[in-house]
Amino acid sequence: MIKTWELDLNFRNEILNEPGGAHLSACFQCSTCTIGCPIAEIVPSYNPRKIIQMSLLGMREEVLSNPDLWICAICQTCTARCPQDVRISDLLAAIRRIAEKDAEAGKLKIDSVRPLFEKAFLHQLEKYGRLFDMGLAMEFYKGKEGGSFIKGQLAMMKDFKDFGMRMFKKGKMGPKAMFPEKVKKTEEIKKIFEKVEGK
Amino acid sequence: MSEKKLAYHPGCPSATTAIEQDMSTKAVFEKLGIELAEMEDWNCCGAAEAEDPILVYALNARNLAIAEKDGLDIVTPCSICYYNLARTDKALREDEGLRAKMSEIDDSLNYKGTIKARHILDVLVNGIGMDELSGKIEKKVNVKVAPYYGCYIGRPGETAFDDPDDPDLMDKLIELIGGENVQFSSMKTKCCGGPLMMTREDIAFEMARKVLESAKNAGADCIALACPLCGMMLDAKQPDMEKKLKITIEMPVVYITQLLGLALGIDSNKLGFNKNIVSTKEILGKVI
């Protein structure tokens, strides 16, 4: 049962105002997004149609705390097929950002490690202007292990020992992979992050 | 194709995990007489991890502006780089306010919308074209191939350059080089799971397994790809998948530029065939 008295009628506006969330209200619940979704094939509970409906109804808490928010592969199958031009991949990303803001404000606990991964990725990008795989993995694993650098490195080595050796043997993880490749004008990249992310 | 020079955006994995894609792309274009001039100081496109569209636009406005200064179209071997570059180009062309917003962030993001961003597959088949390519084929690559397109080639519609449900640009190249396309239509555009590799390995492995096993069941000698993240997932992670799921796949995974390069008579080492994780020896034995 939906507790109508607990609905947050402003939730749809919150999403609509977030970049990427603009097409939310065009959804007429046809389920095309969910029927063709490769994640829904594997995870039976996964239902983007339902997440959109709950968002439109104002079920803010239920939507933001739904663990399925974090398993979209952004493959764009739903977006490509939506007859109403709802950009579902972008929309779910907008909802994830709202959840992350709530989490940062201490109002929500997110179990998924995806926000940690994305933050670590963007952090590399902000510092170097390009992706530094090794730096990303080190920062991500540190975050996953509660901020402990040592524990993070041990967990990373355990997960990536075989993979690392395999890549090393093929010359894909040689000296070039150990150090970040940087853009020359890092100040231009810093400016982008400062202005867009308000840093 | 009229352009004899393109701005090359190699993408972040080009020097490491997808080095064979970078090597084969450069070798193929060199052979075709088109200069790939690596973009001066290019930056990461934000991949799938930059989820704020404004951040994606800003990062890629910088790349587009760099190539625009030289008056060159951008070509990239990576499907995600392509998507981010192309959607930024489109958004900035259509929205003056957004262009102003970019310029406000920094002068380096001042993009006027006079060039295009293209994927190598698009440039090869639609730009250079099958006629010109067919005149340069030196060898027959007699392999059975599962052409795998993944996500950003046929969708979303705003940036797609091939059919969303049954794309065929790679199929055409495989026919051209004397190969055979196996029955693979239902899996061609299914996501490989790459974006979930680090955060939900269980789901990612299941997605990749479906692609790999479908190719195997269809009798393919190899899978052909056009995206370095697909390469990471389907090739580099394949042994991890086999171990975790207790299965044997052993499906060679190569980039379409590697196969095309063989047909153009380029040496296999120059095409990076010794860099693929799953052994490609059998493929090389089928070049006549």
Side-chain angles (χ1 to χ4, degrees), chain A residues 41 74-75 77 87 96-97 117 125 129-131 162 166 170 172 183-185 188 191 195, chain B residues 12 17 20 40-42 44 51 62 105-106 152 155 158 190 210 236 240 243 275-276:
Chain A
E41 254 176 41
I74 332 177
C75 77
T77 307
R87 306 196 48 96
R96 281 195 291 275
R97 281 201 304 283
F117 182 70
L125 184 41
R130 290 185 194 165
L131 173 60
D162 294 353
R166 190 183 309 144
K170 292 282 182 177
K172 290 179 160 181
V183 300
K184 288 181 206 125
K185 296 178 181 164
E188 292 178 359
K191 227 171 182 180
K195 298 252 172 99
Chain B
C12 298
T17 56
E20 68 272 42
E40 172 77 23
D41 217 31
W42 58 271
C44 169
E51 294 215 294
R62 183 175 179 276
I105 293 173
D106 192 63
Y152 297 102
R155 63 174 179 259
E158 56 175 352
K190 237 187 191 144
K210 286 185 186 184
D240 295 322
K243 195 172 166 192
K275 301 283 182 187
N276 301 72

Side-chain angles (χ1 to χ4, degrees), chain B residues 160-171:
Chain B
F161 56 88
D162 207 341
D163 188 86
D165 300 311
D166 196 8
D168 70 350
L169 296 183
M170 265 196 274
D171 296 50

Side-chain angles (χ1 to χ4, degrees), chain B residues 172-242:
Chain B
K172 284 182 185 162
L173 289 176
I174 290 158
E175 271 170 38
L176 179 79
I177 65 173
E180 182 192 325
N181 290 295
V182 300
Q183 276 295 337
F184 195 57
S185 290
S186 61
M187 294 309 288
K188 272 180 174 177
T189 63
K190 237 187 191 144
C191 176
C192 71
L196 296 177
M197 187 172 66
M198 295 294 281
T199 58
R200 279 302 296 266
E201 191 187 77
D202 55 334
I203 301 176
F205 277 8
E206 187 55 20
M207 294 170 89
R209 183 195 62 80
K210 286 185 186 184
V211 175
L212 291 164
E213 287 193 335
S214 301
K216 195 173 177 179
N217 293 338
D221 297 319
C222 67
I223 289 179
L225 320 158
C227 172
L229 185 58
C230 299
M232 171 76 122
M233 195 63 216
L234 298 178
D235 185 35
K237 297 293 277 186
Q238 199 181 122
D240 295 322
M241 232 172 279
E242 291 178 311

